[in-house]
């Protein structure tokens, strides 16, 4: 049984089928369940319950129930009637929930509160849940789904963004900019049209990046129970326990103090577990209704229905350059297929245009983005959230510009890199930039200058660069509170307990926290006990997303540890009879830096400090610096600093089959400072693996069934049998360079490494294919069929290109016009209406 199965409790009376299970994470003193039952008293040192006894390491609780979700077979339909009477008559079924039982909507963003635990009035994609069946076994719950009768009234399907633009009715949601358009945004930073007109050459390209999913090894799972005090306790594989807690408070209508969320260690997330999900809310409601622990585990097909993966994005770039290739102006338009719900979609829309100015100097920049609702599972944040698709477009177009101008693609980039400390056209403040060294490393290591345009036909190399956030500069709910907090407790035996809301999803955040505390206090990381991801025990951390944990939780941990060090140093100095500024911490000792033989053990130093101060504990917190962007929409993109990557990919393309074999990859990542080089390299190579999957195989494409089969809009690749992802046998040799250029904003100078190295891989593959066989595939993934079509087009005298032909006409709003800093701008839009004042209690 998993840890989730070992934990649970109920305040709704004990059942005859109660059984005893072992206590694991979250139990014990201060844990989720101390005593089960209503009446209790102390007897011989034990907590005793009427008829049952809870010993130190054991827990008595009702037998667990299992939940399965009944999902819609239709992409768009009104729910006319749900009859659960046959299911409720089943002897193993304990309850059936429908949307009427959980009618309050929720969502991850305050502007997109459009989801329900179970659909209330209509379904919006195949797989939308309409009922939850709770039974004594998972098999019985699954079987009972067939006993729930649902009557639907079918509605027209909005299959893709073009449908959404042309069909305002039926609306998928009653909110949004208009019809089935969720969000339109438009910005101009300088006179872009004048910049394009003054350019020596203008390049226009339309490209498409297909959506794809996260594919973590661990599927979604949740266990919910009610403890002896009537609190709902939810164990879930979530990246954002704080925001899940917030959604549960709203959807269940309970005070926050009555709900506890424990984020279990995740078997991978990649952004796919960043939303609050319907199965999490439904399980909590079922636990309240039944008074028993309720567990739900999604199968792989259901994970595809949850989705929140990469948005399919159509892009149009218009870029003006000088004869030498220097960027003069850039205009970017994006069209996003958002799926059926808002999710992070508004932020995703902004992110498709936010970071184009961070890698290279762009004097004038315009961005327009449009997200549409469609009858598909909702898209959301996947590794590199919103920035991967336009990075593909920008890097492929730069390769085209270099070829057209007769320039080496590496030199074209090196001549116009953004500079450390720059303030970009769209008011993003840059920190250290190690991109020049990244490019030089991969160029030299790969033998780029001896290979580009010089290899035999069928072999080629491609280069691309990227940049990424080190944590979002603003919280989802805007407020002035810290983004991350850490509490430290120091005990008399020399141990340190670190409490933090950050969630370990396989990225190594627990290791980073322990090592930072240990480094400051001069102890071994094994001496640091971590308690993480528990909403009523740990201080708030906003979650494991946007590559923010090392930056934000790390800085908070360092601050808390430095305060703890200061608490200890004074009393230790008195005990040693030395000035305070001569106290040093190292090797589990507190000693005189001028006479290291004179000192105390760390344990002795804590005892001395506790005798003077009382119980020892400290706190630390972190909030990013304020962004210079003052225009509406300027909250997406700011970060304390940015990471940078460069990659060279070498491929062999078979012109007879179109098959692409990636032979070797060289990648360099500017990490600021590598706190754990082994973990850092693992993250870089994991990004390469995921990037190759997106470049060559992975796509969350949909197809319409024939009329006789309902015309439903369904997954083209609905399981891991059809949805192809690279295996270890598909991985080429990867040469990794860790470039260290410490950044003052980062903890010990560190920057992110979890997402940035993914971004250059897809465009580098596309550029390598062109170098190998002379054709452009302006879409991702790059399939053998696309290569063959492009080769056939070239053989017939065409351009030798496969990709979208045009970008649709969109009714853009008037752009916010923000003069860039070098034109006297101050970060304010000259045509922006005054903002309404933000409420003082803006949330968490």
């Amino acid at each position: 049984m998993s840890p989730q199965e070992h934990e649970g409790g109920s305040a709704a009376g004990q059942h005859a089928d109660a059984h005893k299970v072992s206590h694991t994470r979250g139990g014990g003193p201060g844990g989720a369940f101390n005593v089960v039952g209503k009446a209790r008293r102390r007897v011989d040192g034990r907590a005793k319950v009427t008829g049952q006894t809870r010993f130190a390491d054991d827990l008595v609780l009702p037998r667990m129930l299992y939940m399965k979700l009944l999902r819609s077979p239709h992409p768009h339909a009104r729910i006319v009637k749900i009859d659960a009477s046959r299911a409720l008559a089943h002897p193993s079924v304990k309850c059936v929930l429908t949307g009427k039982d959980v009618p309050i909507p929720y969502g991850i963003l305050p502007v997109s509160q459009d989801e329900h635990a179970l659909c209330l009035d209509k379904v919006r994609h195949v797989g939308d849940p309409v009922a939850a069946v709770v039974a004594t076994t998972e098999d019985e719950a699954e079987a009972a789904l067939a006993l729930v009768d649902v009557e639907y009234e079918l509605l027209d399907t909005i299959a893709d963004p073009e449908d959404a633009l042309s069909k305002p009715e039926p609306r998928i949601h009653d909110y949004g900019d208009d019809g089935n358009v969720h969000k339109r945004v438009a910005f101009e930073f300088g006179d872009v049209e004048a910049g394009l007109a003054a350019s020596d050459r203008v390049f226009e390209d339309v490209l498409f990046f297909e959506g794809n999913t996260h594919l973590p090894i661990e599927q979604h799972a949740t266990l919910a129970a009610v403890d002896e005090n009537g609190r709902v306790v939810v164990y879930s594989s979530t990246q954002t326990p704080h925001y899940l807690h917030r959604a549960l408070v709203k959807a269940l209508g309970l005070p926050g103090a009555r709900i506890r969320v424990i984020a279990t260690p995740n078997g991978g997330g990649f952004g796919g577990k960043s939303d609050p999900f319907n199965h999490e809310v439904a399980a909590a409601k079922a636990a309240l209704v039944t008074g028993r622990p309720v567990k739900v585990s999604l199968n792989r097909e259901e994970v595809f229905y949850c989705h929140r993966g990469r948005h399919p994005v159509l892009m149009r770039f218009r870029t003006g350059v000088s004869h030498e290739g220097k960027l003069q102006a850039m205009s970017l338009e994006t069209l996003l297929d958002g799926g059926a719900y808002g999710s992070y979609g508004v932020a995703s829309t902004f992110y498709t245009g936010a970071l184009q100015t961070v890698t290279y100097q762009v004097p004038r920049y315009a961005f327009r983005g449009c997200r549409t609702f469609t009858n598909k599972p909702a898209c959301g944040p996947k590794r590199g959230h919103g920035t991967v698709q336009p990075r593909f477009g920008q890097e492929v177009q730069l390769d085209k510009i270099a070829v057209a101008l007769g320039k080496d693609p590496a030199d074209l980039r090196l001549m116009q890199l953004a500079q450390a400390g720059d303030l970009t056209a769209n008011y993003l403040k840059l920190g250290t930039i190690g991109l020049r060294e990244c490019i030089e490393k991969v160029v030299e290591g790969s033998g780029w200058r001896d290979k580009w345009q010089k290899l035999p036909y069928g072999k080629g190399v491609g280069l691309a660069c990227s940049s990424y956030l080190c944590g979002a500069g603003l919280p989802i709910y805007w407020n002035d509170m810290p983004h991350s907090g850490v509490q430290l407790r120091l005990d008399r035996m020399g141990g340190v307990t670190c409490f933090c809301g950050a969630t370990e999803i396989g990225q190594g955040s627990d290791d980073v926290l322990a090592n930072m505390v240990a480094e400051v206090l001069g102890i071994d990381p094994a001496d640091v006990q971590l308690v993480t991801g528990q909403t009523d025990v740990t201080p708030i951390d906003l979650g494991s997303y946007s590559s923010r944990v090392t930056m934000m939780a790390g800085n908070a941990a360092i601050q808390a540890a430095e305060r703890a060090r200061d608490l200890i140093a004074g009393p230790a100095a008195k005990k040693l009879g030395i000035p305070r500024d001569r106290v040093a911490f190292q090797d589990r000792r507190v000693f005189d830096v001028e006479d290291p033989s004179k000192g105390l053990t760390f344990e002795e130093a804590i005892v001395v400090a506790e005798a003077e101060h009382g119980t020892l504990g400290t706190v630390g917190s972190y909030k990013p610096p304020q962004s210079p962007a003052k225009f509406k929409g300027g909250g997406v993109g700011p970060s304390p600093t940015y990471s940078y990557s460069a990659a060279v990919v070498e491929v062999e393309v078979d012109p007879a089959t179109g098959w692409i074999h990636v032979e070797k990859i060289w990648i360099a990542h500017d990490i600021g400072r590598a706190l754990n080089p082994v973990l850092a390299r693992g993250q870089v190579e994991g990004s390469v693996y995921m990037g190759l999957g997106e470049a060559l195989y992975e796509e969350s494409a949909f197809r319409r069934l024939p009329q006789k089969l309902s015309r439903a809009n369904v997954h083209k690749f609905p399981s891991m049998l059809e949805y192809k992802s690279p295996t270890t046998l598909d991985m080429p040799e990867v040469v990794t360079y860790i470039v260290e250029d410490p950044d003052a904003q980062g903890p010990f100078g560190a920057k992110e490494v979890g997402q940035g190295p993914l971004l250059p891989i897809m465009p580098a593959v596309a550029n390598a294919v062109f170098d190998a066989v002379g054709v452009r595939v302006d879409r991702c993934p790059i399939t053998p069929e696309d290569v063959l079509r492009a080769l056939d087009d070239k053989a017939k005298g065409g351009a030798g290109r496969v990709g979208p032909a045009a970008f649709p006409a969109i009714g853009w709003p008037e752009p916010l016009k923000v003069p860039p800093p070098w034109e006297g701008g101050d970060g304010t839009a000259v045509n922006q209406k005054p903002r309404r004042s933000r409420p003082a209690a803006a949330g968490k």
Side-chain angles (χ1 to χ4, degrees):
M1 299 172 75
S2 68
Q4 293 98 316
E5 289 175 302
H6 283 291
E7 299 175 297
S10 172
Q14 304 305 305
H15 299 272
D17 60 352
H19 68 297
K20 186 165 67 178
V21 300
S22 298
H23 144 69
T24 59
R25 177 186 178 189
F33 312 108
N34 294 322
V35 183
V36 176
K38 296 180 180 179
R40 51 188 165 174
R41 61 184 183 274
R42 300 296 300 181
V43 179
D44 298 329
R46 299 173 181 170
K48 192 162 187 178
V49 186
T50 305
Q52 296 176 350
T53 304
R54 182 234 189 249
F55 294 88
D57 292 316
D58 295 300
L59 180 66
V60 180
L61 49 87
R63 190 177 299 277
M64 191 183 312
L65 299 176
Y66 296 84
M67 186 176 79
K68 297 297 288 186
L69 299 174
L70 179 65
R71 298 180 180 275
S72 168
H74 306 293
H76 201 191
R78 289 191 181 89
I79 300 172
V80 177
K81 182 175 67 173
I82 300 177
D83 184 355
S85 58
R86 291 196 299 140
L88 288 168
H90 192 289
S92 295
V93 173
K94 300 305 178 184
C95 83
V96 176
L97 300 175
T98 67
K100 294 180 180 178
D101 298 303
V102 206
I104 302 173
Y106 63 88
I108 185 65
L109 300 186
V111 295
S112 301
Q113 301 287 298
D114 59 0
E115 299 190 56
H116 291 85
L118 301 163
C119 295
L120 191 61
D121 54 354
K122 71 175 181 177
V123 296
R124 294 173 171 87
H125 66 86
V126 172
D128 231 358
V130 296
V133 174
V134 181
T136 53
T137 71
E138 193 170 24
D139 288 343
E140 295 286 0
E142 179 78 40
L145 293 178
L147 302 178
V148 179
D149 300 307
V150 184
E151 182 181 341
Y152 297 96
E153 177 189 336
L154 300 186
L155 300 169
D156 287 346
T157 298
I158 308 299
D160 53 43
E162 288 73 17
D163 258 5
L165 292 172
S166 63
K167 298 178 183 177
E169 297 289 341
R171 295 189 75 180
I172 295 174
H173 288 284
D174 293 332
Y175 80 99
D177 282 1
D178 59 75
N180 286 303
V181 172
H182 181 197
K183 187 69 176 178
R184 292 189 188 95
V185 297
F187 304 93
E188 286 186 5
F189 304 95
D191 191 338
V192 172
E193 292 304 321
L196 292 172
S199 298
D200 296 318
R201 294 282 299 274
V202 175
F203 293 82
E204 181 169 339
D205 289 283
V206 181
L207 307 98
F208 177 67
F209 200 106
E210 181 60 90
N212 49 63
T213 196
H214 314 82
L215 217 65
I217 292 175
E218 180 200 36
Q219 293 145 213
H220 297 260
T222 297
L223 185 146
V226 181
D227 72 7
E228 73 281 3
N229 296 314
R231 292 189 309 167
V232 180
V233 184
V234 177
Y235 298 81
S236 197
S237 53
T238 177
Q239 295 178 231
T240 53
H242 166 63
Y243 288 121
L244 173 57
H245 181 263
R246 188 184 186 98
L248 289 166
V249 167
K250 184 182 181 191
L252 299 178
L254 293 175
R258 297 279 304 281
I259 298 174
R260 178 184 184 187
V261 174
I262 298 174
T264 59
N266 279 211
F270 313 113
K273 298 172 182 175
S274 299
D275 283 76
F277 285 101
N278 41 47
H279 65 273
E280 294 169 317
V281 179
K285 181 66 175 182
L288 281 168
V289 170
T290 63
R292 293 169 64 173
V294 175
K295 180 179 178 181
V296 55
S297 299
L298 304 191
N299 60 36
R300 185 63 65 178
E301 181 181 352
E302 291 179 298
V303 175
F304 276 88
Y305 294 145
C306 284
H307 195 43
R308 316 304 159 112
R310 184 110 43 230
H311 284 74
V313 177
L314 183 67
M315 301 161 274
R316 177 165 63 185
F317 281 85
R318 289 188 300 141
T319 301
V321 298
S322 67
H323 286 306
E324 294 76 27
K326 186 76 172 176
L327 296 172
Q328 304 298 305
M330 178 185 293
S331 171
L332 169 61
E333 296 169 276
T334 62
L335 176 61
L336 293 77
D337 184 341
Y341 293 98
S343 183
Y344 285 83
V346 171
S348 306
T349 306
F350 283 100
Y351 272 129
T352 60
L355 300 190
Q356 305 317 113
T357 60
V358 169
T359 317
Y360 312 107
Q361 293 176 332
V362 182
R364 298 174 179 178
Y365 177 58
F367 166 60
R368 293 167 175 80
C370 174
R371 185 180 193 262
T372 61
F373 286 124
T374 59
N375 293 124
K376 302 173 186 175
C379 296
K382 186 187 174 186
R383 201 174 195 170
H385 182 199
T387 69
V388 169
Q389 304 92 320
R391 177 58 52 187
F392 173 79
Q394 185 176 16
E395 294 295 317
V396 169
Q397 187 183 60
L398 281 173
D399 198 71
K400 293 182 180 184
I401 292 171
V403 171
L405 299 180
K407 298 283 187 179
D408 184 306
D411 292 335
L412 183 79
R413 289 167 169 82
L414 286 169
M415 68 183 289
Q416 51 203 332
L417 298 179
Q419 300 299 305
D422 276 357
L423 187 60
T424 68
N426 55 337
Y427 289 86
L428 301 180
K429 181 66 175 176
L430 308 185
T432 61
I433 300 176
L435 183 53
R436 179 172 297 277
E437 186 177 351
C438 288
I439 295 174
E440 291 170 349
K441 289 278 190 185
V442 297
V443 165
E444 180 181 358
S446 66
W448 167 266
R449 299 195 188 279
D450 296 324
K451 292 179 179 178
W452 183 68
Q453 292 192 335
K454 297 174 183 176
L455 294 175
Y457 182 74
K459 290 180 177 287
V461 289
L463 181 144
C465 302
S466 69
S467 53
Y468 196 63
L469 309 164
C470 295
L474 288 170
I476 290 173
Y477 288 79
W478 286 18
N479 59 77
D480 296 321
M481 292 181 285
H483 292 209
S484 188
V486 166
Q487 292 175 330
L488 296 183
R489 182 183 69 85
L490 290 77
D491 67 55
R492 301 174 186 178
M493 304 304 291
V496 177
T497 304
C498 174
F499 298 87
C500 182
T503 306
E504 175 63 66
I505 60 172
Q507 84 280 38
S509 62
D510 283 359
D511 177 88
V512 168
L513 285 173
N515 275 278
M516 288 182 178
V517 171
E519 178 72 19
V520 174
L521 295 179
I523 58 178
D524 193 280
D527 299 333
V528 181
Q529 173 70 27
L530 293 171
V531 180
T532 59
Q534 303 186 35
T535 57
D536 71 340
V537 175
T538 61
I540 282 175
D541 178 87
L542 298 182
S544 293
Y545 63 92
S546 292
S547 283
R548 56 175 302 283
V549 176
T550 293
M551 173 66 67
M552 301 194 183
N555 274 319
I558 289 173
Q559 185 183 77
E562 288 174 342
R563 289 172 173 173
R565 185 181 62 192
D566 291 344
L567 277 179
I568 298 168
K574 293 178 185 177
K575 182 72 173 178
L576 297 173
I578 61 175
R580 181 170 178 153
D581 59 5
R582 282 169 46 186
V583 174
F585 290 70
Q586 189 175 334
D587 297 330
R588 293 194 177 107
R589 295 183 68 242
V590 181
F591 57 90
D592 183 354
V593 70
E594 295 186 4
D595 181 7
S597 65
K598 181 188 295 186
L600 306 168
T601 66
F602 186 73
E603 179 181 338
E604 290 169 341
I606 288 180
V607 170
V608 170
E610 187 172 339
E612 177 170 323
H613 297 301
T615 301
L616 298 180
T618 61
V619 297
S621 59
Y622 178 78
K623 187 171 82 169
Q626 186 172 355
S627 167
K630 303 172 186 176
F631 58 92
K632 184 178 181 181
V636 176
S639 178
T641 189
Y642 301 85
S643 71
Y644 293 85
S645 304
V648 169
V649 173
E650 186 168 343
V651 303
E652 181 176 4
V653 181
D654 185 342
T657 64
W659 188 258
I660 303 166
H661 174 65
V662 178
E663 296 187 331
K664 195 168 182 177
I665 294 176
W666 295 261
I667 184 163
H669 181 69
D670 164 27
I671 194 174
R673 176 173 288 166
L675 302 179
N676 185 322
V678 174
L679 283 180
R681 287 178 183 276
Q683 286 292 306
V684 172
E685 290 170 13
S687 290
V688 170
Y689 168 86
M690 183 170 281
L692 275 182
E694 296 196 27
L696 299 175
Y697 313 117
E698 300 187 33
E699 51 182 330
S700 291
F702 284 73
R703 61 191 176 93
R704 297 297 298 274
L705 293 178
Q707 185 64 48
K708 64 180 180 180
L709 295 177
S710 82
R711 289 287 287 161
N713 205 32
V714 298
H715 273 286
K716 191 176 179 181
F717 309 113
S719 77
M720 289 181 68
L721 290 175
E722 297 91 356
Y723 186 94
K724 299 302 181 185
S725 182
T727 68
T728 54
L729 296 177
D730 300 307
M731 275 295 286
E733 180 184 355
V734 178
V735 178
T736 302
Y737 304 98
I738 298 296
V739 173
E740 294 189 280
D741 185 7
D743 193 292
Q745 292 291 336
F748 301 121
K751 300 199 283 192
E752 77 86 33
V753 68
Q755 303 190 61
L758 165 77
L759 277 75
I761 301 302
M762 292 77 77
V765 171
N767 294 338
V769 168
F770 175 78
D771 189 48
V773 291
V775 297
R776 292 287 182 185
V777 179
D778 287 345
R779 66 177 306 276
C780 200
I782 305 156
T783 66
E785 294 84 355
D786 288 334
V787 173
L788 289 177
R789 279 194 289 267
L791 288 169
D792 183 60
D793 179 57
K794 186 175 182 180
K796 294 176 179 177
R801 174 189 177 271
V802 167
F807 192 91
I810 295 175
W812 298 113
E814 179 189 0
L816 286 180
K817 297 183 178 182
V818 185
W822 41 88
E823 293 181 7
D826 64 355
T828 303
V830 296
N831 59 337
Q832 180 174 320
K833 296 177 181 177
R835 288 188 183 183
R836 292 178 297 176
S837 60
R838 185 155 42 94
K844 295 181 282 186

